[in-house]
Amino acid sequence: DGGITQSPKYLFRKEGQNVTLSCEQNLNHDAMYWYRQDPGQGLRLIYYSQIVNDFQKGDIAEGYSVSREKKESFPLTVTSAQKNPTAFYLCASTPRDRLNQPQHFGDGTRLSIL
Amino acid sequence: AQSVTQPDIHITVSEGASLELRCNYSYGATPYLFWYVQSPGQGLQLLLKYFSGDTLVQGIKGFEAEFKRSQSSFNLRKPSVHWSDAAEYFCAVVNSGGYQKVTFGTGTKLQVIP
């Protein structure tokens, strides 16, 4: 079955360390998204990509970076500049970046500070 | 700017009772609206969507939602709740600003008691 795979499920970061969250999809979707989820705040968009080798900042991109070298993969790096990285991170995708396309979600990565 | 309000942070219902989760949106044009469900530690799963046409939409797991333009609402309903429905529910609206920008509500956590 097709879907979105996020790994690892749990991740711990030390002070001053960069960590990378993986997101892989085998749905042949063009558009991919990264969200951050904090309790009581819903989901906030970090970065999105509509096509390979192109990505755009979302609402809370500071302290994060992404790449989109392959259609299937959209890794997110949480840099040391992100001072409050503890959160649940969700990756999503849609076939096209169209309004009527619901987003498909992975099962998330929970990032904590050591 | 678009926004979504879910006024109830937490709702408790008895198994077998009816359920209504409230969602109010703010958007200038005809909105594209979604309801998602999230089980603990998981990603979001689409329950139903509204784009146009019939204002009462049916979704998976016996859920339905009614779009009321005059009230800017898109409330989710289920006639008889099952214990497995305990989860967090998110309402979302999609804009037309050049890419699929999805604004999520802050979620309603549903507890089901025997």
Side-chain angles (χ1 to χ4, degrees), chain A residues 21-55:
Chain A
L21 285 61
S22 171
C23 177
E24 303 278 333
Q25 54 100 356
N26 60 2
L27 299 166
N28 199 33
H29 286 178
D30 286 312
M32 297 186 74
Y33 311 82
W34 272 106
Y35 292 94
R36 171 179 170 138
Q37 185 177 21
D38 296 280
Q41 295 194 42
L43 279 70
R44 293 181 290 168
L45 182 66
I46 305 172
Y47 269 97
Y48 68 98
S49 169
Q50 296 171 293
I51 196 169
V52 174
N53 292 323
D54 184 65
F55 50 83

Side-chain angles (χ1 to χ4, degrees), chain A residues 11-99:
Chain A
L11 187 58
F12 298 91
R13 195 191 88 168
K14 296 180 181 179
E15 292 288 338
Q17 185 183 43
N18 293 353
V19 292
T20 297
L21 285 61
S22 171
C23 177
E24 303 278 333
Q25 54 100 356
N26 60 2
L27 299 166
N28 199 33
H29 286 178
D30 286 312
M32 297 186 74
Y33 311 82
W34 272 106
Y35 292 94
R36 171 179 170 138
Q37 185 177 21
D38 296 280
Q41 295 194 42
L43 279 70
R44 293 181 290 168
L45 182 66
I46 305 172
Y47 269 97
Y48 68 98
S49 169
Q50 296 171 293
I51 196 169
V52 174
N53 292 323
D54 184 65
F55 50 83
Q56 306 295 330
K57 293 182 179 180
D59 299 322
I60 55 165
E62 185 174 350
Y64 300 97
S65 66
V66 294
S67 63
R68 187 86 187 276
E69 297 177 0
K70 298 187 300 181
K71 186 175 184 177
E72 302 80 16
S73 179
F74 191 41
L76 173 74
T77 297
V78 184
T79 74
S80 57
Q82 173 50 246
K83 296 307 179 187
N84 183 24
T86 297
F88 192 53
Y89 291 87
L90 287 163
C91 180
S93 69
T94 56
R96 294 283 189 276
D97 191 30
R98 302 282 169 78
L99 301 180

Side-chain angles (χ1 to χ4, degrees), chain A residues 3-4 25 27 29-36 43-50 74 90-106, chain B residues 2 32-37 43-49 51 90 92-95 99-104:
Chain A
I4 299 177
Q25 54 100 356
L27 299 166
H29 286 178
D30 286 312
M32 297 186 74
Y33 311 82
W34 272 106
Y35 292 94
R36 171 179 170 138
L43 279 70
R44 293 181 290 168
L45 182 66
I46 305 172
Y47 269 97
Y48 68 98
S49 169
Q50 296 171 293
F74 191 41
L90 287 163
C91 180
S93 69
T94 56
R96 294 283 189 276
D97 191 30
R98 302 282 169 78
L99 301 180
N100 62 351
Q101 297 285 349
Q103 297 191 349
H104 298 250
F105 285 84
Chain B
Q2 66 195 52
Y32 293 75
L33 295 159
F34 301 87
W35 273 101
Y36 289 89
V37 60
L44 276 66
Q45 180 185 19
L46 179 71
L47 283 176
L48 48 79
K49 58 189 179 184
F51 301 138
F90 291 92
V93 62
V94 181
N95 81 340
Y99 71 95
Q100 191 196 66
K101 179 173 173 58
V102 183
T103 299
F104 290 88

